[in-house]
Amino acid sequence: MIEQKLPLHYPSRLSLKSGIKETHLGLDVNDLQGVIYRFLSRLKALKVVVDGPLWVKSCGNVTAENDTVYMDYVFYVETTMATAFKSQFQQFEKFEVSPCVQVDYVGSVDTSHLAQSKMDVFSFERKLMESGDMYTAIHFDDGKYIKATYFRKIYVQ
């Protein structure tokens, strides 16, 4: 069993090199895992060499209908091969998000929401204004345990 860990870092900075991305608007949150799997399978089938983990941006746009929650997501992978796949994927240039609150999470998939809760409490206690967007680097996910890094932008007042 992996012991749950939640170290928090502030201020932090997220920096991504250029690569490819895929945008999903109004995605049922229950379908997210399957859509991520299809995206990664497509990268593998096309033999895209990635330079790091999959990044998932959860956007602040949330809608709910009949007990179903929909959110906007953007998947990012850093790769030097982006131009070779411009007909199959959107491309992105290097970008940074700063300052951020960062939480490193290792533990059960079922309790990974604690990382977001820890960021919320930290920001509330310090009266920091957060953006609604969260960036998650998924380093390892076997369906039961996950190792991930979460970033959320903070607006400096």
Side-chain angles (χ1 to χ4, degrees), residues 22 33-48 50 52-55 75-77 89 138 141:
E22 188 169 272
Q33 194 67 28
V35 175
I36 288 173
Y37 176 77
R38 285 191 296 278
F39 176 68
L40 294 175
S41 296
R42 202 164 140 220
L43 293 174
K44 187 175 181 178
L46 292 168
K47 296 181 170 73
V48 177
V50 297
L54 167 68
W55 286 88
F75 304 156
Y76 297 92
V77 289
F89 297 100
I138 302 170
D141 179 1

mmCIF file of all heavy atoms in Angstrom, residues 22 33-48 50 52-55 75-77 89 138 141:
data_model
loop_
_atom_site.group_PDB
_atom_site.id
_atom_site.type_symbol
_atom_site.label_atom_id
_atom_site.label_comp_id
_atom_site.label_asym_id
_atom_site.label_seq_id
_atom_site.Cartn_x
_atom_site.Cartn_y
_atom_site.Cartn_z
ATOM 1 N N GLU A 22 -4.726 18.773 -26.891
ATOM 2 C CA GLU A 22 -6.046 18.377 -27.374
ATOM 3 C C GLU A 22 -7.063 18.970 -26.409
ATOM 4 O O GLU A 22 -6.933 18.822 -25.190
ATOM 5 C CB GLU A 22 -6.149 16.850 -27.415
ATOM 6 C CG GLU A 22 -7.403 16.340 -28.073
ATOM 7 C CD GLU A 22 -7.331 14.844 -28.327
ATOM 8 O OE1 GLU A 22 -6.826 14.451 -29.387
ATOM 9 O OE2 GLU A 22 -7.781 14.081 -27.441
ATOM 10 N N GLN A 33 -11.294 9.657 -17.662
ATOM 11 C CA GLN A 33 -10.271 8.606 -17.691
ATOM 12 C C GLN A 33 -10.214 7.924 -19.060
ATOM 13 O O GLN A 33 -9.139 7.677 -19.598
ATOM 14 C CB GLN A 33 -10.530 7.576 -16.582
ATOM 15 C CG GLN A 33 -9.365 6.660 -16.315
ATOM 16 C CD GLN A 33 -8.169 7.376 -15.714
ATOM 17 O OE1 GLN A 33 -8.295 8.390 -15.029
ATOM 18 N NE2 GLN A 33 -6.992 6.870 -15.968
ATOM 19 N N GLY A 34 -11.377 7.611 -19.637
ATOM 20 C CA GLY A 34 -11.422 6.968 -20.953
ATOM 21 C C GLY A 34 -10.888 7.863 -22.062
ATOM 22 O O GLY A 34 -10.191 7.397 -22.969
ATOM 23 N N VAL A 35 -11.190 9.150 -21.992
ATOM 24 C CA VAL A 35 -10.712 10.092 -23.007
ATOM 25 C C VAL A 35 -9.199 10.256 -22.905
ATOM 26 O O VAL A 35 -8.501 10.316 -23.919
ATOM 27 C CB VAL A 35 -11.447 11.445 -22.883
ATOM 28 C CG1 VAL A 35 -10.886 12.477 -23.849
ATOM 29 C CG2 VAL A 35 -12.946 11.255 -23.143
ATOM 30 N N ILE A 36 -8.684 10.288 -21.674
ATOM 31 C CA ILE A 36 -7.224 10.350 -21.490
ATOM 32 C C ILE A 36 -6.575 9.103 -22.080
ATOM 33 O O ILE A 36 -5.571 9.192 -22.797
ATOM 34 C CB ILE A 36 -6.859 10.496 -19.994
ATOM 35 C CG1 ILE A 36 -7.205 11.892 -19.512
ATOM 36 C CG2 ILE A 36 -5.378 10.202 -19.763
ATOM 37 C CD1 ILE A 36 -7.040 12.091 -18.010
ATOM 38 N N TYR A 37 -7.143 7.945 -21.808
ATOM 39 C CA TYR A 37 -6.593 6.684 -22.323
ATOM 40 C C TYR A 37 -6.571 6.694 -23.861
ATOM 41 O O TYR A 37 -5.572 6.302 -24.471
ATOM 42 C CB TYR A 37 -7.407 5.497 -21.809
ATOM 43 C CG TYR A 37 -6.948 4.189 -22.378
ATOM 44 C CD1 TYR A 37 -5.787 3.574 -21.895
ATOM 45 C CD2 TYR A 37 -7.637 3.567 -23.422
ATOM 46 C CE1 TYR A 37 -5.336 2.382 -22.432
ATOM 47 C CE2 TYR A 37 -7.197 2.378 -23.961
ATOM 48 C CZ TYR A 37 -6.049 1.786 -23.469
ATOM 49 O OH TYR A 37 -5.602 0.611 -24.013
ATOM 50 N N ARG A 38 -7.650 7.168 -24.497
ATOM 51 C CA ARG A 38 -7.681 7.232 -25.973
ATOM 52 C C ARG A 38 -6.632 8.197 -26.514
ATOM 53 O O ARG A 38 -5.987 7.925 -27.525
ATOM 54 C CB ARG A 38 -9.078 7.598 -26.463
ATOM 55 C CG ARG A 38 -10.073 6.452 -26.351
ATOM 56 C CD ARG A 38 -11.384 6.716 -27.069
ATOM 57 N NE ARG A 38 -12.145 7.831 -26.529
ATOM 58 C CZ ARG A 38 -12.944 7.758 -25.461
ATOM 59 N NH1 ARG A 38 -13.072 6.616 -24.816
ATOM 60 N NH2 ARG A 38 -13.613 8.815 -25.058
ATOM 61 N N PHE A 39 -6.459 9.338 -25.844
ATOM 62 C CA PHE A 39 -5.449 10.312 -26.258
ATOM 63 C C PHE A 39 -4.051 9.695 -26.183
ATOM 64 O O PHE A 39 -3.261 9.784 -27.138
ATOM 65 C CB PHE A 39 -5.547 11.559 -25.373
ATOM 66 C CG PHE A 39 -4.498 12.606 -25.647
ATOM 67 C CD1 PHE A 39 -4.496 13.327 -26.830
ATOM 68 C CD2 PHE A 39 -3.528 12.902 -24.704
ATOM 69 C CE1 PHE A 39 -3.536 14.303 -27.084
ATOM 70 C CE2 PHE A 39 -2.568 13.875 -24.934
ATOM 71 C CZ PHE A 39 -2.575 14.572 -26.127
ATOM 72 N N LEU A 40 -3.730 9.048 -25.053
ATOM 73 C CA LEU A 40 -2.411 8.431 -24.893
ATOM 74 C C LEU A 40 -2.212 7.271 -25.865
ATOM 75 O O LEU A 40 -1.113 7.082 -26.396
ATOM 76 C CB LEU A 40 -2.223 7.962 -23.448
ATOM 77 C CG LEU A 40 -2.159 9.069 -22.396
ATOM 78 C CD1 LEU A 40 -2.103 8.479 -20.996
ATOM 79 C CD2 LEU A 40 -0.993 10.008 -22.650
ATOM 80 N N SER A 41 -3.267 6.505 -26.136
ATOM 81 C CA SER A 41 -3.178 5.404 -27.109
ATOM 82 C C SER A 41 -2.905 5.936 -28.504
ATOM 83 O O SER A 41 -2.137 5.352 -29.267
ATOM 84 C CB SER A 41 -4.465 4.585 -27.108
ATOM 85 O OG SER A 41 -4.659 3.962 -25.873
ATOM 86 N N ARG A 42 -3.538 7.062 -28.831
ATOM 87 C CA ARG A 42 -3.315 7.689 -30.139
ATOM 88 C C ARG A 42 -1.869 8.162 -30.278
ATOM 89 O O ARG A 42 -1.233 7.974 -31.324
ATOM 90 C CB ARG A 42 -4.279 8.859 -30.291
ATOM 91 C CG ARG A 42 -4.534 9.260 -31.693
ATOM 92 C CD ARG A 42 -5.765 10.144 -31.753
ATOM 93 N NE ARG A 42 -5.503 11.198 -32.693
ATOM 94 C CZ ARG A 42 -5.853 12.442 -32.534
ATOM 95 N NH1 ARG A 42 -6.501 12.823 -31.472
ATOM 96 N NH2 ARG A 42 -5.562 13.329 -33.449
ATOM 97 N N LEU A 43 -1.330 8.772 -29.216
ATOM 98 C CA LEU A 43 0.072 9.200 -29.239
ATOM 99 C C LEU A 43 0.995 8.005 -29.454
ATOM 100 O O LEU A 43 1.941 8.069 -30.244
ATOM 101 C CB LEU A 43 0.447 9.895 -27.926
ATOM 102 C CG LEU A 43 -0.203 11.232 -27.627
ATOM 103 C CD1 LEU A 43 0.179 11.701 -26.226
ATOM 104 C CD2 LEU A 43 0.170 12.272 -28.662
ATOM 105 N N LYS A 44 0.703 6.916 -28.751
ATOM 106 C CA LYS A 44 1.529 5.709 -28.865
ATOM 107 C C LYS A 44 1.444 5.110 -30.264
ATOM 108 O O LYS A 44 2.460 4.729 -30.851
ATOM 109 C CB LYS A 44 1.080 4.681 -27.816
ATOM 110 C CG LYS A 44 1.966 3.481 -27.726
ATOM 111 C CD LYS A 44 1.531 2.572 -26.592
ATOM 112 C CE LYS A 44 2.450 1.373 -26.494
ATOM 113 N NZ LYS A 44 2.090 0.507 -25.380
ATOM 114 N N ALA A 45 0.242 5.050 -30.825
ATOM 115 C CA ALA A 45 0.056 4.489 -32.166
ATOM 116 C C ALA A 45 0.800 5.312 -33.222
ATOM 117 O O ALA A 45 1.323 4.758 -34.194
ATOM 118 C CB ALA A 45 -1.425 4.402 -32.503
ATOM 119 N N LEU A 46 0.836 6.624 -33.027
ATOM 120 C CA LEU A 46 1.537 7.506 -33.966
ATOM 121 C C LEU A 46 3.029 7.602 -33.675
ATOM 122 O O LEU A 46 3.757 8.307 -34.366
ATOM 123 C CB LEU A 46 0.909 8.905 -33.937
ATOM 124 C CG LEU A 46 -0.505 8.999 -34.497
ATOM 125 C CD1 LEU A 46 -1.130 10.355 -34.160
ATOM 126 C CD2 LEU A 46 -0.506 8.763 -35.993
ATOM 127 N N LYS A 47 3.475 6.917 -32.610
ATOM 128 C CA LYS A 47 4.884 6.909 -32.205
ATOM 129 C C LYS A 47 5.414 8.305 -31.867
ATOM 130 O O LYS A 47 6.528 8.679 -32.234
ATOM 131 C CB LYS A 47 5.746 6.236 -33.267
ATOM 132 C CG LYS A 47 5.404 4.766 -33.450
ATOM 133 C CD LYS A 47 6.293 4.121 -34.480
ATOM 134 C CE LYS A 47 6.154 2.646 -34.521
ATOM 135 N NZ LYS A 47 5.025 2.038 -35.053
ATOM 136 N N VAL A 48 4.570 9.076 -31.161
ATOM 137 C CA VAL A 48 4.987 10.398 -30.697
ATOM 138 C C VAL A 48 5.862 10.210 -29.466
ATOM 139 O O VAL A 48 5.473 9.563 -28.503
ATOM 140 C CB VAL A 48 3.762 11.270 -30.337
ATOM 141 C CG1 VAL A 48 4.210 12.614 -29.778
ATOM 142 C CG2 VAL A 48 2.862 11.464 -31.548
ATOM 143 N N VAL A 50 7.251 11.613 -26.246
ATOM 144 C CA VAL A 50 6.910 12.700 -25.322
ATOM 145 C C VAL A 50 8.062 12.931 -24.351
ATOM 146 O O VAL A 50 8.796 12.021 -24.001
ATOM 147 C CB VAL A 50 5.591 12.412 -24.567
ATOM 148 C CG1 VAL A 50 4.428 12.330 -25.533
ATOM 149 C CG2 VAL A 50 5.674 11.157 -23.741
ATOM 150 N N GLY A 52 8.062 14.017 -21.066
ATOM 151 C CA GLY A 52 7.543 14.252 -19.716
ATOM 152 C C GLY A 52 6.157 13.673 -19.558
ATOM 153 O O GLY A 52 5.662 12.945 -20.420
ATOM 154 N N PRO A 53 5.498 14.034 -18.460
ATOM 155 C CA PRO A 53 4.183 13.462 -18.171
ATOM 156 C C PRO A 53 3.068 14.099 -18.988
ATOM 157 O O PRO A 53 3.261 15.140 -19.623
ATOM 158 C CB PRO A 53 3.992 13.797 -16.686
ATOM 159 C CG PRO A 53 4.743 15.075 -16.507
ATOM 160 C CD PRO A 53 5.949 14.941 -17.404
ATOM 161 N N LEU A 54 1.914 13.476 -18.950
ATOM 162 C CA LEU A 54 0.695 14.068 -19.494
ATOM 163 C C LEU A 54 0.253 15.159 -18.533
ATOM 164 O O LEU A 54 0.206 14.948 -17.321
ATOM 165 C CB LEU A 54 -0.408 13.014 -19.614
ATOM 166 C CG LEU A 54 -1.817 13.552 -19.873
ATOM 167 C CD1 LEU A 54 -1.912 14.179 -21.266
ATOM 168 C CD2 LEU A 54 -2.851 12.451 -19.712
ATOM 169 N N TRP A 55 -0.070 16.328 -19.080
ATOM 170 C CA TRP A 55 -0.620 17.432 -18.297
ATOM 171 C C TRP A 55 -2.080 17.579 -18.654
ATOM 172 O O TRP A 55 -2.442 17.579 -19.829
ATOM 173 C CB TRP A 55 0.115 18.733 -18.611
ATOM 174 C CG TRP A 55 1.481 18.794 -18.019
ATOM 175 C CD1 TRP A 55 2.642 18.346 -18.573
ATOM 176 C CD2 TRP A 55 1.820 19.299 -16.746
ATOM 177 N NE1 TRP A 55 3.693 18.554 -17.712
ATOM 178 C CE2 TRP A 55 3.202 19.146 -16.579
ATOM 179 C CE3 TRP A 55 1.079 19.875 -15.695
ATOM 180 C CZ2 TRP A 55 3.874 19.549 -15.432
ATOM 181 C CZ3 TRP A 55 1.747 20.283 -14.559
ATOM 182 C CH2 TRP A 55 3.122 20.114 -14.436
ATOM 183 N N PHE A 75 -5.531 18.675 -22.748
ATOM 184 C CA PHE A 75 -4.421 17.754 -22.500
ATOM 185 C C PHE A 75 -3.185 18.321 -23.184
ATOM 186 O O PHE A 75 -3.250 18.747 -24.333
ATOM 187 C CB PHE A 75 -4.689 16.367 -23.089
ATOM 188 C CG PHE A 75 -5.957 15.711 -22.608
ATOM 189 C CD1 PHE A 75 -6.557 14.743 -23.374
ATOM 190 C CD2 PHE A 75 -6.551 16.037 -21.405
ATOM 191 C CE1 PHE A 75 -7.715 14.115 -22.958
ATOM 192 C CE2 PHE A 75 -7.703 15.425 -20.963
ATOM 193 C CZ PHE A 75 -8.294 14.457 -21.749
ATOM 194 N N TYR A 76 -2.057 18.292 -22.486
ATOM 195 C CA TYR A 76 -0.786 18.765 -23.030
ATOM 196 C C TYR A 76 0.268 17.673 -22.898
ATOM 197 O O TYR A 76 0.350 17.019 -21.854
ATOM 198 C CB TYR A 76 -0.253 19.969 -22.242
ATOM 199 C CG TYR A 76 -1.104 21.207 -22.265
ATOM 200 C CD1 TYR A 76 -2.064 21.438 -21.283
ATOM 201 C CD2 TYR A 76 -0.931 22.167 -23.256
ATOM 202 C CE1 TYR A 76 -2.826 22.589 -21.288
ATOM 203 C CE2 TYR A 76 -1.692 23.319 -23.273
ATOM 204 C CZ TYR A 76 -2.638 23.529 -22.283
ATOM 205 O OH TYR A 76 -3.391 24.672 -22.288
ATOM 206 N N VAL A 77 1.082 17.507 -23.921
ATOM 207 C CA VAL A 77 2.302 16.711 -23.812
ATOM 208 C C VAL A 77 3.418 17.504 -24.481
ATOM 209 O O VAL A 77 3.241 18.063 -25.557
ATOM 210 C CB VAL A 77 2.207 15.289 -24.434
ATOM 211 C CG1 VAL A 77 1.320 14.395 -23.608
ATOM 212 C CG2 VAL A 77 1.763 15.326 -25.861
ATOM 213 N N PHE A 89 -2.940 17.046 -34.402
ATOM 214 C CA PHE A 89 -3.077 17.658 -33.082
ATOM 215 C C PHE A 89 -2.894 19.166 -33.159
ATOM 216 O O PHE A 89 -2.211 19.666 -34.038
ATOM 217 C CB PHE A 89 -2.009 17.115 -32.111
ATOM 218 C CG PHE A 89 -2.105 15.649 -31.834
ATOM 219 C CD1 PHE A 89 -1.262 14.759 -32.488
ATOM 220 C CD2 PHE A 89 -3.013 15.150 -30.924
ATOM 221 C CE1 PHE A 89 -1.328 13.393 -32.227
ATOM 222 C CE2 PHE A 89 -3.093 13.797 -30.659
ATOM 223 C CZ PHE A 89 -2.248 12.912 -31.311
ATOM 224 N N ILE A 138 0.267 13.980 -14.557
ATOM 225 C CA ILE A 138 0.040 12.608 -14.117
ATOM 226 C C ILE A 138 1.313 11.821 -14.391
ATOM 227 O O ILE A 138 1.635 11.507 -15.531
ATOM 228 C CB ILE A 138 -1.178 11.993 -14.835
ATOM 229 C CG1 ILE A 138 -2.419 12.846 -14.551
ATOM 230 C CG2 ILE A 138 -1.379 10.541 -14.393
ATOM 231 C CD1 ILE A 138 -3.621 12.492 -15.369
ATOM 232 N N ASP A 141 -0.366 6.356 -12.931
ATOM 233 C CA ASP A 141 -1.761 6.070 -12.593
ATOM 234 C C ASP A 141 -2.073 4.663 -13.061
ATOM 235 O O ASP A 141 -2.112 4.401 -14.254
ATOM 236 C CB ASP A 141 -2.683 7.082 -13.266
ATOM 237 C CG ASP A 141 -4.157 6.854 -12.981
ATOM 238 O OD1 ASP A 141 -4.492 5.907 -12.243
ATOM 239 O OD2 ASP A 141 -4.977 7.625 -13.506
#
